Amino acid sequence: MSCSSYAVRINLSSHVLGDKWVGIPVIGPILVNGSQPASTLARVRMQFNLGTNTFTLDSDVGSEIAISNATTWEATVAQTQSFLTVAGQWSWSMQFYATGDTNPQTFYYGTFLVEEI
């Protein structure tokens, strides 16, 4: 996955297939060139990909992602009971949408190992 220079690579801790995922207690605040974005945060989407398998968490669709501070662009990803169903090295990315924007900015991405034990 190729991302811009402002995106930060984070390799999440491994996960056991079939277990609930603990989520992310807080992600953010977001700074662009050392400054807080001028617009407020409207939406956060997190996508996981492994081959043809895709799993999406979206603040607009479910309750797994909550925007905790729209001004500083902070969010939380809740524990997820029904999670990734295939073992392997998944890639993931997190897209942030400013109020009024239809295209996101990808600020975080990385890999996520799902182990079958």
Side-chain angles (χ1 to χ4, degrees), residues 54-85:
T54 299
F55 185 84
T56 302
L57 301 171
D58 193 323
S59 64
D60 273 2
V61 176
S63 60
E64 293 92 359
I65 297 181
I67 297 171
S68 52
N69 190 321
T71 303
T72 59
W73 289 45
E74 293 178 71
T76 60
V77 182
Q79 291 182 359
T80 304
Q81 294 289 332
S82 299
F83 197 46
L84 306 175
T85 59

Side-chain angles (χ1 to χ4, degrees), residues 27-42:
I27 193 142
I30 300 293
L31 298 175
V32 178
N33 296 325
S35 299
Q36 180 178 306
S39 299
T40 57
L41 179 62

Side-chain angles (χ1 to χ4, degrees), residues 11-115:
N11 295 324
L12 298 173
S13 298
S14 62
H15 174 73
V16 176
L17 185 66
D19 284 2
K20 72 177 174 182
W21 182 47
V22 297
I24 301 172
V26 67
I27 193 142
I30 300 293
L31 298 175
V32 178
N33 296 325
S35 299
Q36 180 178 306
S39 299
T40 57
L41 179 62
R43 178 183 177 196
V44 179
R45 181 180 65 199
M46 186 174 195
Q47 293 186 302
F48 296 85
N49 296 291
L50 176 65
T52 60
N53 298 293
T54 299
F55 185 84
T56 302
L57 301 171
D58 193 323
S59 64
D60 273 2
V61 176
S63 60
E64 293 92 359
I65 297 181
I67 297 171
S68 52
N69 190 321
T71 303
T72 59
W73 289 45
E74 293 178 71
T76 60
V77 182
Q79 291 182 359
T80 304
Q81 294 289 332
S82 299
F83 197 46
L84 306 175
T85 59
V86 177
Q89 186 76 29
W90 291 72
S91 62
W92 70 274
S93 62
M94 188 175 278
Q95 298 83 36
F96 293 76
Y97 292 79
T99 300
D101 285 353
T102 56
N103 291 330
Q105 287 183 282
T106 301
F107 287 116
Y108 301 108
Y109 71 102
T111 57
F112 186 62
L113 177 62
V114 176
E115 299 179 281

